[in-house]
Amino acid sequence: MLATLRGTKLGVAVVSLLLYGRLFGIGVLMDSWVFASGVVAATGMFLWGPVNEIARSHFLRHAASDGYRTATAGATRLLRFTALGSALVAVSMWLTGPWILRALYGGTDPASEILVLRVFTLMLPSLVLGQILSLGVAYLNCCEVIYSPELIGVSAALASLACVFWLAPTLGVYSLVVAHYLGLALSSGSVLFMLSRRRFLNASWRPLIDPTVTDYLGSSAPLFFSYGAGQANGLLEKALASSIGVGALASVNYAAQIKSTLQAVITSVLFSLAVPRLTQAATRKEGWPVFATAWRDVQRVVMVFLLAVLPPLWGGANLIADVLFGSAKVGADQLDLVADLIRLYLMALIAVALYLVHGSALLAQRKARSYAIWGVAGQLLSALICVALFRPLGPRVFPLALLASHGVVAVAMARAVGPSRRLWVELIAWLSVIALACLLVSSLACWIQTNCSYAR
């Protein structure tokens, strides 16, 4: 059931990408949406991402030690505190919006700057609703409510898609804003209703901050470094892409979304299957040999997935770009750029996948500090590469920076996990097979295209 729902969500994400490409193409409209929504989303992740990540474990610990009623009271106060904090931040960003965008947005067209500011202002209230949704789903998961939030998320995404489809001809890019709020309202409203049915939301408003809230905040503090580095790097990429020219930001976003969709599958497999197995192997009495075997098995599963998906996507990158935009007015050079970015992001996905595999192994060994340090180092390296090379390389610098930074960090993480010569031998073999398969599929695609053109 859960696998079906997650598969459906991925399908909806693919349909969304196709719909956006055909309705908005590449240009100022999509640039403004990607930039404004990205800045707001990054702000929300920086503020409360670490808190939301540790919410599940801390709620269960408080429920076991202090009782369910006390735990729900503390959880409710945290929900109120983070929602009010998000509201204050949203108001502050509304007041300082022109200065924020002047510092981050690199576009030079006054009309596009006005559009970005309007979309940015309209998106600010989503900080509150987004935080309520994220933390509320975490608490529902703790109460063994797993399927309902996923089903609500799929339903809200479908409603948003329908909203964009119907409103885009009249509202343009603002249809994306309306659709976003429609999905958020449906999801957060449903989550709040389910929380109230489970005796949440009834705690007294005084005090607003109690020891439970401070425990959540204090425990999440070390994670702010890695989250902060990640979100700052994302903002830097958007600022640099917006300065390259009109359409660069949208082109990068379309290609990166394909990578993110595949990455979501890998992450789901790792956290649902691989991490528990690695954790169990790390606690076995047999020690390192058992853990090394489990580690290689996890890498093997990820490589099999990459071998299955990368060659057809690599060979069909040009076709994907054509299908993505359909009859939208997109120039041949822009289509070639998107196709190149898709291929480069597919290469970067290999490095990201290895980063996730070896990072999961570090977490299973309880080496969270090493994981955090190398994660921050990877973000800093990526930022340095982007700043140094974005002018000569243009938009292609972003997937190349991701490939280089996560590749280096993945190797460092693997060395921190432990020595395993067999792991590296297998990895080289897998990478060679994947590269050969990509080359063969790409050659076949070129041959088919050439012969079809000749036949015409």
Side-chain angles (χ1 to χ4, degrees), residues 118-142:
R118 288 175 178 171
V119 176
F120 173 76
T121 303
L122 291 172
M123 288 297 295
L124 286 175
S126 66
L127 278 174
V128 181
L129 292 176
Q131 173 55 20
I132 291 174
L133 178 61
S134 297
L135 197 53
V137 169
Y139 290 144
L140 288 175
N141 292 162
C142 295

Side-chain angles (χ1 to χ4, degrees), residues 6-41:
R6 288 178 176 173
T8 304
K9 288 179 69 175
L10 291 174
V12 172
V14 173
V15 174
S16 300
L17 191 63
L18 290 172
L19 183 64
Y20 293 174
R22 289 171 178 261
L23 289 177
F24 302 104
I26 296 175
V28 174
L29 292 181
M30 203 60 192
D31 280 357
S32 64
W33 166 253
V34 172
F35 185 88
S37 61
V39 171
V40 174

Side-chain angles (χ1 to χ4, degrees), residues 104 167 194 204 276 303 317 413 437:
L104 295 178
L167 296 181
M194 288 189 287
S204 171
M303 289 296 113
M413 283 181 167

Side-chain angles (χ1 to χ4, degrees), residues 18 33 39-40 48 98 118 124 142 148 183 202 223 282 304 312 334 386 395 418 437 452:
L18 290 172
W33 166 253
V39 171
V40 174
W48 310 120
R118 288 175 178 171
L124 286 175
C142 295
S148 296
N202 296 323
L223 297 176
V304 169
Q334 291 177 315
C386 289
C452 289

Side-chain angles (χ1 to χ4, degrees), residues 247-290:
L249 195 55
S251 300
V252 171
N253 179 70
Y254 284 124
Q257 286 298 315
I258 295 174
K259 186 270 299 181
S260 298
T261 301
L262 298 175
Q263 184 179 331
V265 177
I266 297 174
T267 304
S268 177
V269 171
L270 284 175
F271 282 98
S272 60
L273 300 175
V275 171
R277 182 181 177 186
L278 287 170
T279 303
Q280 292 173 359
T283 59
R284 294 277 296 274
K285 294 181 179 180
E286 291 85 349
W288 173 252
V290 172

Side-chain angles (χ1 to χ4, degrees), residues 286-308:
E286 291 85 349
W288 173 252
V290 172
F291 184 84
T293 300
W295 185 23
R296 289 195 302 272
D297 289 343
V298 171
Q299 178 180 266
R300 199 173 295 139
V301 169
V302 173
M303 289 296 113
V304 169
F305 172 76
L306 293 177
L307 179 60

Side-chain angles (χ1 to χ4, degrees), residues 210-239:
D210 65 0
T212 304
V213 174
T214 56
D215 179 50
Y216 277 98
L217 297 177
S219 299
S220 64
L223 297 176
F224 276 94
F225 293 100
S226 57
Y227 269 85
Q231 301 312 312
N233 191 34
L235 291 177
L236 175 65
E237 289 184 3
K238 287 178 173 56

